[in-house]
Amino acid sequence: MLSSEEVKKNAGVFAADLVKNGMNFGLGTGSTVYWLIRELGVRVSQGLEIRAVPTSAQTVSLALEAGIPLTDLDQVAQLPIAIDGADEIDPQGQLIKGGGGALLQEKIVAAAAEKMIVIADGSKYVSQLGRFPLPVEVIRFGYKQVMRRLLDAGICRSVKLREKNGTPFITDHQHYILDCQFDHIDDAPAINTFIRNITGVVETGLFVRMASSAIIGHSDGRVETINFR
């Protein structure tokens, strides 16, 4: 049986085959994408010509270290694909993302791509969303009002301001993140719409009708592709 990191590496290396010579593509964030970046760096050193639109400052740093040329959405006409990780993936292709705090830029890049491919280990593929806390990115001013609205609506069990080293976590775009704990999420589209309509909310970590497919690595060495649309 493979270790967790070996499983993630298998998925990342498998996904690298989707990035073709001359392609502009969205490059996600997270522990599985790390291995994709490493593999693409090797291929760039061997002559692969690509340009990546990164989804976070962390990805910028890793991609530059690997020698992957970068660009941004304002400089490209189209993105055939975006490849990113996820914290949870359900059988309908609905996702919870944002455990690393990059959900806003991840969603912008995913929305700009013709296809969003999710890469993850098998533990992220679940029968129903909701065990992983749902990240909600909010404006820092008046964030407690958003917390109150979420709790008063009764859609989640608890809401917690994300912290790092004892102080509020600040996203790349200078916002806070509220982590909303559910028992389970029955209607992801409705919850996504409700939360996004709360004044002060920037974006949610629910990715609905965005993923085209998922590449799932397993501990027995298999890499499985699941198509959603």
Side-chain angles (χ1 to χ4, degrees):
M1 303 294 278
L2 301 181
S3 69
S4 174
E5 285 305 306
E6 289 171 326
V7 171
K8 293 175 182 180
K9 182 178 181 179
N10 278 353
V13 171
F14 186 96
D17 287 340
L18 301 175
V19 182
K20 306 302 183 183
N21 197 55
M23 180 181 283
N24 298 317
F25 71 106
L27 183 57
T29 300
S31 58
T32 306
V33 174
Y34 167 81
W35 292 107
L36 169 65
I37 293 171
R38 290 281 299 272
E39 178 63 21
L40 289 176
V42 171
R43 298 185 187 194
V44 166
S45 71
Q46 295 170 345
L48 179 68
E49 296 184 0
I50 54 177
R51 292 192 304 169
V53 175
T55 59
S56 68
Q58 178 190 58
T59 297
V60 169
S61 177
L62 290 172
L64 290 176
E65 182 181 336
I68 299 172
L70 300 179
T71 185
D72 62 56
L73 286 181
D74 295 327
Q75 303 300 319
V76 297
Q78 62 178 354
L79 292 178
I81 62 171
I83 306 175
D84 207 343
D87 299 299
E88 285 188 341
I89 311 163
D90 77 5
Q92 289 74 50
Q94 302 176 129
L95 317 172
I96 288 181
K97 290 177 52 56
L103 64 99
L104 174 59
Q105 198 162 320
E106 288 174 338
K107 190 173 278 191
I108 292 171
V109 172
E114 294 176 20
K115 293 183 178 181
M116 179 191 185
I117 291 81
V118 187
I119 58 175
D121 64 85
S123 69
K124 306 296 177 64
Y125 189 63
V126 298
S127 60
Q128 187 174 29
L129 299 181
R131 184 172 182 179
F132 190 91
L134 173 65
V136 177
E137 190 158 344
V138 299
I139 298 294
R140 290 156 69 176
F141 175 79
Y143 75 93
K144 288 186 178 179
Q145 296 296 324
V146 178
M147 294 179 73
R148 188 171 296 115
R149 287 285 305 277
L150 289 167
L151 291 171
D152 288 349
I155 62 169
C156 56
R157 181 156 46 84
S158 63
V159 182
K160 183 178 181 181
L161 176 67
R162 185 178 298 183
E163 295 185 350
K164 183 177 181 180
N165 299 323
T167 60
F169 175 85
I170 306 296
T171 71
D172 287 350
H173 296 277
Q174 304 303 302
H175 301 135
Y176 284 163
I177 287 184
L178 305 179
D179 288 312
C180 304
Q181 186 65 63
F182 292 76
D183 292 318
H184 49 78
I185 294 177
D186 293 318
D187 191 339
I191 288 174
N192 183 56
T193 298
F194 178 86
I195 296 177
R196 290 183 69 184
N197 283 335
I198 297 175
T199 302
V201 169
V202 178
E203 191 51 88
T204 84
L206 279 170
F207 284 51
V208 179
R209 291 185 290 272
M210 299 188 78
S212 300
S213 60
I215 294 171
I216 306 294
H218 296 281
S219 59
D220 62 2
R222 290 181 300 117
V223 178
E224 176 184 16
T225 300
I226 303 171
N227 294 315
F228 303 121
R229 58 180 175 87

